[in-house]
Amino acid sequence: MEQQLVNGLALGSMYALVALGYALVLGVLRRLNLAHGEVFMLGAFVGAAALVAGLPLPLALLGAAVGAALLGLIVERLCFRPAPPDQELTPAISSVALGLVMVDLAIKQWGSEPYSLSGGLSGPAFSLGTVQVSQTQLLIVGLALGLAFALDRTVHATAFGRRMRAVAESSINASLVGIDTRRVVMVTFAVSGALAGIAGLLLVLRTGVASPTVGLGFGIKALAVMAIGGLGNLRGCVLAGLLVGLLEAMSLQVGLSSYSDLVVWAVLVGILVFRPGGLFGSAEHGLR
Amino acid sequence: MHAAPARLFGLFSALTLFAAACAPAAPTPAPTAVAKVAATPAAVAPTAAAAAQPAASAAAARPASGPPVKLGWITALSGPAQVFGEMHRIAGSIAVDKINAEGGINGSPLEIMYENGELAPPQGVAAIRKLAEQDGVFGLVGPISSGQWEVGVPLVNQLEIPAINVNATKSGIASPPWAFRLVGVDDDMVPVGIRAFRDKNPGVKRVVIVGDVREASSEFAVNTSYPAALKANQFDIVETIGFPTGTTDFSPIVTRIKGLNPEGLAISVFLAEGLALQKELEAQGVKVPTFVSPILWAFPFANLATDAANGWMTIGYYDAVADSPRPEGRAMYEEFVRRAAPVAGIPKPVNVANAPIGHDAVLLYAKVMRDAGITAATPVKEARTKIRDGLRGMKNFQGAGWTYKEFKPDGDVVLDFVPLVVDKPQRRWAPQR
């Protein structure tokens, strides 16, 4: 049981990182970026390719973050910027299409078979009784919580964060007071992509495999995490991510392995029935 | 104004570098990473078929000429199963080169029209309709997946066109009178494999079943064919752990397995999940005799898994040069490897696995059409009927590597299977000795 807590926290941390990216864009623009899962997938491939090229892990993580940030900017430029402000559906549909293009491009570049790193996964870093914590699990939880904290502080305690929240509140008013809203939006997409890229490489480190189709399943799960936490609610994303990770791990422990996905979606439906704003409340006026 | 974003990225970078500096060394890249060369199967040398041809028949042949006899092949030319399409095209090209070098189909050259069905049933159905109704092919190979085959069989029966499936392993998909399967199905293969697993591991009693319960053929293995075969061989099933397709982090599942302390595992997965599961089993120190379903044999699992997978068992046919009992099989294998070498997307060394079944399907069509006197001038309906009758009467057809004994009344083939194990030093499946 205790081991499953560790497993669930590590899994949930990765969900949280991806969910934060969804929440950022939704919070600032009030639009869904449905290519985010594929940015996560390509970040995984970029990071894995960096490792294959012999780069050390810190540079591979940086490469995944920068590569995915650039992809985030491309998504913004192609799917979101051309859409009129009153159009919410068009960018979402456009981003779905761009996501599918990304999947096909990944297959063309890396093949349809999974990209497998040779060698095994990292062994246990330390043991507490029967509970073993691997080095990768430590890295995942530490990095995810650290990045989430940094993002939270940036949004709530910096001048740029104030500009982000101002754009989230009203982009027209923000531009009237001299805020470069386009720049804010671009940075939002870049940060969102960077988070996804780092999460992608962390998943590769955790599983030893990058797959062109991982973005769909993992991305949708992270979308659910964001909804459970509260739309646009950054802290809610983190807590919901951990909750979903723990739910999945615990459902296995009690013999509900075949229903682990069902459990997550049933919880989502149940929460939205009783708390339409998510567990921790949606950000009604943008980012929170 | 611009300092804040810079600070934000700076913070990211600092955190990233700090955390990574404390991190474990990353796994090293696979030496088997996919080779990237621009060539396609169509770019193979014109003399390539020579290695796969029996010398006598080639010497006696007259060149085929005139309009072609056309077959259709529905495979995955894009999407997650694209590698199958690439391998099918190579297998098809070897068969076509061989047949045409022997004089074609009673003087008419053979041509294969490939259609992209990916793995989606709707696309498979559309491809069947196009090839049967618009292109007028005499027979079909494919589509690939069990899901496509399940919805495609009623259509080929309705359109009255012969179809030979070479990949779908799910049992219980009724197929007569126009649909045939040249690939072994789970109901036939799994019992043979589990019996061999028992013989290899006589001390193993307590087994956990683990597998993908979202995909049709894997779900069938997990919930039907594995339990039946394991019970028939006196194994105790400790627990069945199912998971959905696309599962990425297997640590909770392996922790559960570890807690059950099994003596053996019976796993049914596709490649991505299979690799992640295998690596997690290794990471958590679960090392017990393991049987995997024939699904995994068709993928380069033996190549891409870590050394800890050495000795994992499955059930299939033959694979590598040294394994096929027939010189023609070994020649076909060598030719396949040669043509696959420049193709991007096929991991090296090549896992030929069941690709020869597609090759053999084309050879079988050719034999039936030759025996029935079919040429390109034969009316489509008449040709299809003759082919169907020829297929139903098939007895002991010699493929490249093995013999197809006959089709059962339900259209599934009867053939012998070979227990295979992961041979990590050679990064391939090898016969269990």
Side-chain angles (χ1 to χ4, degrees):
Chain A
M1 177 71 92
E2 296 81 4
Q3 183 68 55
Q4 296 291 28
L5 285 174
V6 174
N7 296 334
L9 284 175
L11 178 59
S13 297
M14 288 187 287
Y15 286 144
L17 269 185
V18 183
L20 281 171
Y22 279 118
L24 262 183
V25 171
L26 186 70
V28 172
L29 286 183
R30 298 178 202 181
R31 290 170 172 179
L32 267 177
N33 171 17
L34 294 177
H36 190 59
E38 280 64 44
V39 172
F40 158 77
M41 175 272 294
L42 281 173
F45 272 101
V46 169
L51 290 176
V52 167
L55 292 181
L57 182 57
L59 287 181
L61 276 167
L62 203 55
V66 171
L70 292 173
L71 284 169
L73 290 173
I74 291 171
V75 172
E76 188 273 332
R77 182 67 188 85
L78 296 182
C79 303
F80 288 79
R81 199 183 303 177
D86 59 338
Q87 282 285 338
E88 293 181 356
L89 202 54
T90 307
I93 293 171
S94 176
S95 62
V96 169
L98 185 58
L100 293 173
V101 169
M102 289 182 190
V103 171
D104 264 6
L105 288 177
I107 289 172
K108 297 296 177 202
Q109 175 62 31
W110 286 287
S112 59
E113 301 287 24
Y115 199 74
S116 178
L117 300 181
S118 71
L121 308 176
S122 69
F126 64 86
S127 301
L128 292 170
T130 57
V131 180
Q132 295 187 328
V133 183
S134 76
Q135 294 166 316
T136 306
Q137 284 175 324
L138 270 181
L139 173 70
I140 289 169
V141 175
L143 199 50
L145 294 182
L147 288 171
F149 179 76
L151 184 64
D152 184 77
R153 289 299 81 204
T154 303
V155 168
H156 292 103
T158 68
F160 186 76
R162 278 196 296 279
R163 288 196 284 275
M164 286 177 93
R165 283 182 284 132
V167 174
E169 184 96 19
S170 166
S171 62
I172 295 173
N173 290 345
S175 62
L176 286 175
V177 297
I179 293 174
D180 185 347
T181 56
R182 175 175 291 182
R183 181 175 180 79
V184 168
V185 169
M186 287 173 67
V187 171
T188 300
F189 270 89
V191 172
S192 164
L195 289 169
I198 290 170
L201 183 53
L202 291 177
L203 185 68
V204 172
L205 293 175
R206 185 73 197 90
T207 63
V209 175
S211 163
T213 53
V214 72
L216 182 64
F218 205 94
I220 287 186
K221 200 78 75 69
L223 194 58
V225 163
M226 183 194 63
I228 290 171
L231 302 179
N233 187 328
L234 301 180
R235 294 171 196 174
C237 274
V238 176
L239 293 172
L242 298 178
L243 176 69
V244 167
L246 289 170
L247 262 178
E248 277 195 42
M250 288 305 160
S251 64
L252 268 158
Q253 192 60 31
V254 296
L256 293 174
S257 59
S258 304
Y259 302 97
S260 59
D261 266 12
L262 187 150
V263 167
V264 172
W265 298 113
V267 165
L268 170 64
V269 171
I271 286 173
L272 294 185
V273 165
F274 295 105
R275 290 185 64 86
L279 269 185
F280 305 99
S282 65
E284 290 175 12
H285 299 291
L287 206 55
R288 185 157 129 182
Chain B
M1 181 80 179
H2 296 166
R7 277 204 300 276
L8 184 59
F9 273 113
L11 200 50
F12 267 120
S13 305
L15 267 165
T16 301
L17 291 167
F18 172 75
C22 306
T28 51
T32 55
V34 179
K36 296 293 178 295
V37 184
T40 65
V44 296
T47 56
Q53 293 170 10
S57 58
R62 285 184 310 166
S65 60
V69 166
K70 291 184 287 188
L71 293 176
W73 195 326
I74 302 158
T75 184
L77 301 177
S78 64
Q82 183 180 309
V83 68
F84 282 102
E86 287 163 346
M87 294 179 75
H88 284 159
R89 287 173 62 162
I90 294 171
S93 70
I94 294 173
V96 167
D97 287 352
K98 171 179 163 56
I99 290 160
N100 287 339
E102 292 171 350
I105 308 298
N106 301 314
S108 300
L110 179 65
E111 178 185 312
I112 295 178
M113 302 180 72
Y114 294 92
E115 278 295 325
N116 188 10
E118 289 205 345
L119 290 177
Q123 275 184 260
V125 165
I128 291 171
R129 282 204 176 277
K130 176 181 180 295
L131 289 165
E133 294 176 331
Q134 293 178 31
D135 300 325
V137 301
F138 285 180
L140 299 171
V141 179
I144 288 185
S145 71
S146 292
Q148 288 178 315
W149 187 239
E150 220 157 3
V151 299
V153 163
L155 182 60
V156 299
N157 283 326
Q158 179 197 327
L159 298 174
E160 299 186 342
I161 180 171
I164 300 178
N165 189 290
V166 297
N167 288 92
T169 60
K170 182 184 175 186
S171 303
I173 307 175
S175 55
W178 292 88
F180 302 84
R181 269 200 289 198
L182 217 50
V183 64
V185 297
D186 284 340
D187 263 358
D188 297 333
M189 298 177 81
V190 169
V192 179
I194 294 293
R195 200 178 315 127
F197 183 67
R198 181 202 61 195
D199 293 344
K200 187 189 176 197
N201 306 286
V204 171
K205 186 78 173 164
R206 293 161 40 80
V207 173
V208 169
I209 298 174
V210 192
D212 181 341
V213 289
R214 185 77 57 82
E215 195 280 330
S217 59
S218 180
E219 187 277 336
F220 187 83
V222 170
N223 290 326
T224 306
S225 55
Y226 272 179
L230 288 166
K231 285 174 187 165
N233 285 281
Q234 285 78 51
F235 288 104
D236 294 334
I237 300 170
V238 181
E239 187 167 308
T240 297
I241 300 175
F243 55 82
T245 311
T247 296
T248 48
D249 187 344
F250 281 88
S251 57
I253 288 172
V254 174
T255 296
R256 178 70 182 158
I257 293 170
K258 194 174 179 181
L260 295 167
N261 196 27
E263 295 164 343
L265 295 175
I267 295 174
S268 179
V269 283
F270 280 78
L271 184 58
E273 291 88 350
L275 289 170
L277 174 58
Q278 186 268 319
K279 292 183 177 189
E280 188 63 40
L281 285 166
E282 181 187 15
Q284 294 198 31
V286 179
K287 187 167 176 58
V288 293
T290 299
F291 180 85
V292 297
S293 67
I295 298 170
L296 216 46
W297 168 60
F299 293 96
F301 175 79
N303 177 2
L304 299 174
T306 69
D307 289 348
N310 195 49
W312 280 27
M313 180 182 265
T314 190
I315 185 76
Y317 318 112
Y318 297 99
D319 192 9
V321 176
D323 303 333
S324 174
R326 303 183 67 245
E328 292 85 350
R330 295 196 292 275
M332 188 270 170
Y333 178 88
E334 287 171 351
E335 181 58 22
F336 192 99
V337 170
R338 201 186 72 75
R339 294 192 187 201
V343 179
I346 299 180
K348 314 297 184 303
V350 179
N351 178 56
V352 174
N354 59 1
I357 301 174
H359 165 272
D360 292 348
V362 178
L363 293 191
L364 177 58
Y365 269 123
K367 179 183 185 311
V368 167
M369 289 191 286
R370 284 168 175 165
D371 290 349
I374 291 170
T375 67
T378 307
V380 172
K381 187 175 175 62
E382 179 188 334
R384 291 175 178 175
T385 304
K386 285 181 173 177
I387 291 170
R388 179 202 64 189
D389 294 343
L391 291 174
R392 290 170 76 173
M394 185 266 286
K395 293 282 182 194
N396 296 319
F397 172 70
Q398 183 59 61
W402 46 81
T403 303
Y404 304 88
K405 294 178 180 175
E406 62 179 335
F407 286 113
K408 295 186 282 189
D410 65 3
D412 288 340
V413 76
V414 178
L415 73 170
D416 293 326
F417 306 116
V418 179
L420 303 163
V421 292
V422 172
D423 180 351
K424 270 315 292 182
Q426 297 196 53
R427 306 209 302 266
R428 66 180 181 86
W429 292 103
Q432 158 71 18
R433 306 290 182 194

